[in-house]
Amino acid sequence: MIQTSSPTTLADALVTAREAACLTQEDLAERSGVSVRAIRNLETGHTSRPRKQSLLLIAKALGLPPEEVGRLMRRPGAERQQPPPGLVPAELPAAPRHNLVGRKAHVDSLRAHLSATEHGDTGRPAVVVGPPGAGKTSLILEAAHGVRDRFPDGQVFVDLHPGAASTPLTPDEIVPRVLRSLGAGPAAGHPEEAAARLRDALSRRRVLVVLDNADSEAQVRPLLVDGSRSAVLVAARRELPALTAQFRRHIGVLGDGDALQVLEDLLGPARTGAERSAASLVLRFCGRLPLALHIAGLWLSARPHRSLRDLADRLTQEQDRLRFLHIGDLSLEASVAACHSSLPAPVRGALQRLRTVNGDFDADDMVTHVTPSRGLAADLLDELIDRQMVHAVGPTADGRLLYRLHDAVRQYVAYGPVGSRHPDRVAGQIWLPRQAVDSGRKEA
């Protein structure tokens, strides 16, 4: 039982209560579900801003009566310092629901990692990598919304390469952007001064910073502060190998069952079950990409009079798939184009040459079709893999390692942007051949 006759601190009170219960720190951790590290930090006074939920779990594990719990929460050291009013950003966009089927394990692991930062596991950014249309943004937003209560000083969201921007944000643009969100705008002077102010702000607060469309380690590095209880969550268009100790999750296309679930969630199992063969074709033509499947499902749900066979027929011709996988402000082509536009010129050139390769290819094909230099061919192949344009598909019987362009990437480089192929297309509308338009006018 905690002695209340003397003005003891929270740390002293916790030690007294634990010893009175004849528990070790390890015993208390097992009973409460709070980590040993967190309990140790509380008892030594190293946690300046303890979470109320952690204290309540510890109090329950110690068997304290309600009145003792109340006194515990009022002990010196238990008060959470509050940030200045009006300086708690809540910038997270709504989490899109369409790309989350089959991603629960990833969401859970990201939330667990982000929650661990409150117990001192800091300095490790969580990074999600995957090809265009795989649902990276949806995944990080879903994970971020689930841990908002663990970051009471705010959540900052920055799109590092907005769709309307021709170039990604630089570190010198990112730092003042985050500082403004935290209400600690940089003083005039050298960018290093702003970076120092940002490190200071993040070290003093518990903030979640979510970065979308990252293209380089340099964009993320200014936000990493050792010893901070803030956290950084990143959706990256490419591998970020120079970020040491990152908590990395790679996502790709969905399995057949999860891909079908996306359609069933939008159309209902009865409608998809009635046309199972056509549904299978839609899954294949969409490459089992979450974004493509969601667009296909929305197109059908808005047209209850159309069948899945109608959509499968529209997607049969590969050169037209990107044109049809577009509804409202959702576009698979736009997702691929954004990643393609950020590629260095030599990598774009390698992609253009690879469009002539039928099916899978190996390192020898890179030498034949891309560059005669084996060293340069290997470097370009590594860059294509890092940038999520190409993926390995496994060795052949004779031991050759084969690679493949992601389906949507291959269609984009093989047939070009939709607008360049169909100048008569109006944004947001389905393009029709000129003869069909003329025919329609005559019939009218």
Side-chain angles (χ1 to χ4, degrees), residues 278-316:
S280 297
L281 287 175
V282 171
L283 301 188
R284 179 159 64 88
F285 293 152
C286 289
R288 291 181 284 120
L289 271 177
L291 177 58
L293 289 165
H294 187 67
I295 291 171
L298 288 177
W299 190 90
L300 284 166
S301 63
R303 297 166 175 81
H305 57 287
R306 301 296 290 269
S307 67
L308 272 76
R309 175 60 62 179
D310 289 336
L311 178 59
D313 289 344
R314 293 165 75 86
L315 299 176
T316 298

Side-chain angles (χ1 to χ4, degrees), residues 39 48 61 73 114 130-131 147 190 210 212 216 221 257 322 350 381 386:
I39 293 172
S48 60
M73 302 301 288
L114 294 171
V147 295
H190 196 275
V210 180
D212 195 17
S216 72
R221 206 180 300 281
L322 289 180
L381 183 55
D386 283 351

Side-chain angles (χ1 to χ4, degrees), residues 162-205:
S166 58
T167 58
L169 296 182
T170 66
D172 288 346
E173 293 172 318
I174 296 166
V175 169
R177 160 69 177 83
V178 177
L179 276 172
R180 287 193 297 272
S181 291
L182 298 178
H190 196 275
E192 175 54 30
E193 181 181 351
R197 292 193 60 170
L198 178 58
R199 291 192 296 270
D200 178 70
L202 292 175
S203 66
R204 292 174 180 271
R205 308 182 193 182

Side-chain angles (χ1 to χ4, degrees), residues 313-329:
D313 289 344
R314 293 165 75 86
L315 299 176
T316 298
Q317 297 301 316
E318 188 178 74
Q319 65 268 26
D320 289 328
R321 284 179 196 161
L322 289 180
R323 172 162 66 98
F324 288 129
L325 291 173
H326 168 220
I327 186 168
D329 61 349

Side-chain angles (χ1 to χ4, degrees), residues 44 77 90 129 138 166 178 195 201 228-229 231 238 247 251 266 270 275-276 302 320 336 355 364 374:
T44 57
V129 188
S138 299
S166 58
V178 177
S228 167
R229 298 174 69 216
R238 55 167 299 182
F247 182 82
I251 60 174
L266 288 165
E275 295 186 81
R276 188 52 58 92
D320 289 328
V336 178
R355 77 184 191 278
D364 289 338
R374 285 195 171 272

Side-chain angles (χ1 to χ4, degrees), residues 1-3 8-32 34-45 55 57-65 68 72 75:
M1 185 69 64
I2 296 177
Q3 301 298 320
T8 182
T9 65
L10 172 68
D12 293 335
L14 287 175
V15 172
T16 301
R18 179 175 58 76
E19 291 178 347
C22 299
L23 297 175
T24 66
Q25 290 180 342
E26 289 75 14
D27 294 334
L28 182 55
E30 184 175 352
R31 284 193 183 188
S32 66
V34 179
S35 72
V36 174
R37 176 187 292 181
I39 293 172
R40 184 181 303 117
N41 287 340
L42 286 168
E43 291 189 355
T44 57
L55 293 178
L57 290 172
I58 291 172
K60 181 179 180 181
L62 291 170
L64 299 180
E68 287 293 334
L72 179 69
R75 296 283 178 184

Side-chain angles (χ1 to χ4, degrees), residues 388-403:
Q388 308 302 303
M389 300 288 105
V390 168
H391 62 107
V393 293
T396 62
D398 58 1
R400 290 185 305 132
L401 185 58
L402 296 180
Y403 304 90

